[in-house]
Amino acid sequence: MTDANVALLVRLQAQSGKESDVEEFLRSALPMAEEEPDTTTWFALRMDDSTFGIFDTFPDESGREAHLSGEIAAALEENADELFAEPPKIEEVDVLEAKLP
């Protein structure tokens, strides 16, 4: 068992013209992730011009659930209508292996 056994993979589609706002939102979320003791890793991603994502890992299900009810999830929900063309696609995934620092 490692500190990264379960994860979330979140896909975010920016509304047209809101791409820089989504990028800024994701960059501003890093301090919130750093405050979560059970968030092992947290990555904000840009996949193409308008598609963004978040990938984060947790030691166990309770850490993942704490994150899903935390500040970042609340901020995503609060800003979803303004920033995103569709609701965020949140996938709960299991980590098979990981290389951590």
Side-chain angles (χ1 to χ4, degrees), residues 37-52:
D38 288 329
T39 299
T40 306
T41 62
W42 186 88
F43 299 91
L45 313 168
R46 186 171 202 155
M47 298 169 197
D48 61 35
D49 288 344
S50 62
T51 308
F52 296 82

Side-chain angles (χ1 to χ4, degrees), residues 19-42:
E19 296 85 359
S20 62
D21 295 332
V22 171
E23 181 176 335
E24 183 179 318
F25 170 80
L26 290 173
R27 289 181 183 278
S28 74
L30 178 59
M32 290 183 271
E34 290 172 332
E35 293 296 316
E36 296 178 349
D38 288 329
T39 299
T40 306
T41 62
W42 186 88

Side-chain angles (χ1 to χ4, degrees), residues 6-93:
V6 297
L8 292 171
L9 179 60
V10 182
R11 195 173 192 80
L12 306 163
Q13 188 64 43
Q15 284 191 35
S16 180
K18 295 287 186 172
E19 296 85 359
S20 62
D21 295 332
V22 171
E23 181 176 335
E24 183 179 318
F25 170 80
L26 290 173
R27 289 181 183 278
S28 74
L30 178 59
M32 290 183 271
E34 290 172 332
E35 293 296 316
E36 296 178 349
D38 288 329
T39 299
T40 306
T41 62
W42 186 88
F43 299 91
L45 313 168
R46 186 171 202 155
M47 298 169 197
D48 61 35
D49 288 344
S50 62
T51 308
F52 296 82
I54 298 170
F55 179 76
D56 37 15
T57 63
F58 313 91
D60 53 32
E61 187 60 37
S62 66
R64 179 164 59 188
E65 289 302 316
H67 179 74
L68 284 169
S69 62
E71 287 185 63
I72 296 172
L76 271 174
E77 187 175 320
E78 182 179 315
N79 291 284
D81 290 342
E82 178 187 336
L83 296 177
F84 307 120
E86 56 192 47
K89 294 179 182 163
I90 302 171
E91 295 181 65
E92 295 184 2
V93 297

